[in-house]
Amino acid sequence: MSKQEIGMPGPADGCSPGLLTAPLDEDQAVELARVFKALGDPVRLRLLSMIASRAGGEVCVCDLTPAFDLSQPTISHHLKLLREAGLIASQRRGTWVYYRLLPEMTDRLAGILTRPAGRPVGSPAGAEA
Amino acid sequence: MSKQEIGMPGPADGCSPGLLTAPLDEDQAVELARVFKALGDPVRLRLLSMIASRAGGEVCVCDLTPAFDLSQPTISHHLKLLREAGLIASQRRGTWVYYRLLPEMTDRLAGILTRPAGRPVGSPAGAEA
């Protein structure tokens, strides 16, 4: 299995297949599922939304932890899963770690979930089992 | 917790907060995580892509099962999770169940993952913990 950066269909170029236009192959599905799985948790979604919406684009972990009734190690574990999925990046500066969104990944997810313009879902052939 | 149809932020109207523009509240995060969790599995992603890309917009479960080394009950279980997440609908006709995409849900997901036009991620204030 190729393991480039994230081997998922990349519709950002406007021609690669998305989730809705052609059946995914197994490798694509495994890689993509990993990212969706990272999003499949309420704490991680809240963390991601806090990071993505922060003015300045960067959040100290020390500003994230107080929003949750969870220990800092637990928060750090959730942040690690978001980072491993390619959704956020981190940088340690002094005592604290700072997080920022990697919008390339959310752009890719948005792209593969977007119906192709002018072509209703289900119109192309090619979904043979 | 409100449990309308799916109580997630709905940016389809262009003004509701998405995942990237404001911190999600707990209820929104729980509902949205449920949908992403349904997508966080390779078999379910492949099933969804097969259903979404099928010419005619509808697939018989009998055409889905042969693509996998899995039993029909296992496939049916995955399809049930996709259905419960609001991603697909099903209809029994005679012996078989037929599945189709509910594009409203993938549209919503694409919308909340899309950066607001003309406004870089992180520019709005409002990410207080």
Side-chain angles (χ1 to χ4, degrees):
Chain A
M1 184 194 308
S2 72
K3 270 280 188 183
Q4 313 97 348
E5 44 156 341
I6 289 274
M8 66 167 66
D13 60 13
C15 61
S16 306
L19 181 61
L20 308 181
T21 50
L24 292 176
D25 69 31
E26 275 191 63
D27 286 357
Q28 291 172 328
V30 166
E31 292 295 331
L32 189 50
R34 189 164 147 251
V35 185
F36 282 126
K37 197 170 179 179
L39 294 173
D41 178 274
V43 172
R44 291 198 289 278
L45 278 181
R46 288 179 62 204
L47 285 167
L48 186 68
S49 71
M50 290 168 73
I51 293 167
S53 62
R54 171 59 64 105
E58 209 179 52
V59 191
C60 176
V61 67
C62 58
D63 289 330
L64 295 171
T65 308
F68 300 88
D69 284 332
L70 296 168
S71 68
Q72 176 148 353
T74 299
I75 296 293
S76 292
H77 174 72
H78 283 302
L79 289 165
K80 181 177 167 228
L81 294 179
L82 289 173
R83 205 180 62 230
E84 288 176 350
L87 288 157
I88 59 172
S90 65
Q91 188 180 38
R92 176 173 288 279
R93 291 202 299 274
T95 308
W96 300 109
V97 180
Y98 293 79
Y99 293 90
R100 64 183 171 83
L101 181 74
L102 292 177
E104 298 80 6
M105 182 58 82
T106 47
D107 286 352
R108 282 172 103 165
L109 296 181
I112 66 159
L113 288 163
T114 299
R115 285 184 275 178
R119 198 172 59 172
V121 165
S123 66
E128 296 309 312
Chain B
M1 186 194 306
S2 73
K3 271 278 187 185
Q4 314 94 347
E5 45 157 337
I6 289 275
M8 66 169 66
D13 58 14
C15 61
S16 306
L19 182 60
L20 308 180
T21 50
L24 292 176
D25 69 31
E26 275 190 62
D27 286 357
Q28 291 172 326
V30 166
E31 292 294 334
L32 188 51
R34 189 165 147 251
V35 185
F36 282 126
K37 196 170 179 181
L39 295 173
D41 177 274
V43 172
R44 290 197 291 276
L45 279 181
R46 288 179 63 204
L47 285 166
L48 186 67
S49 71
M50 290 169 72
I51 294 166
S53 63
R54 172 57 66 104
E58 208 179 55
V59 191
C60 175
V61 67
C62 57
D63 289 329
L64 295 170
T65 309
F68 299 89
D69 284 333
L70 296 168
S71 68
Q72 177 149 352
T74 300
I75 295 294
S76 292
H77 175 71
H78 284 301
L79 289 165
K80 182 178 166 227
L81 293 180
L82 289 172
R83 205 180 62 230
E84 287 176 350
L87 288 156
I88 59 172
S90 65
Q91 189 181 37
R92 176 175 288 279
R93 292 203 297 274
T95 308
W96 300 110
V97 179
Y98 294 78
Y99 292 90
R100 64 182 171 85
L101 181 74
L102 292 176
E104 298 79 6
M105 181 58 83
T106 47
D107 286 352
R108 282 172 102 165
L109 296 180
I112 67 158
L113 288 162
T114 298
R115 285 184 276 179
R119 199 171 59 171
V121 165
S123 68
E128 297 308 314

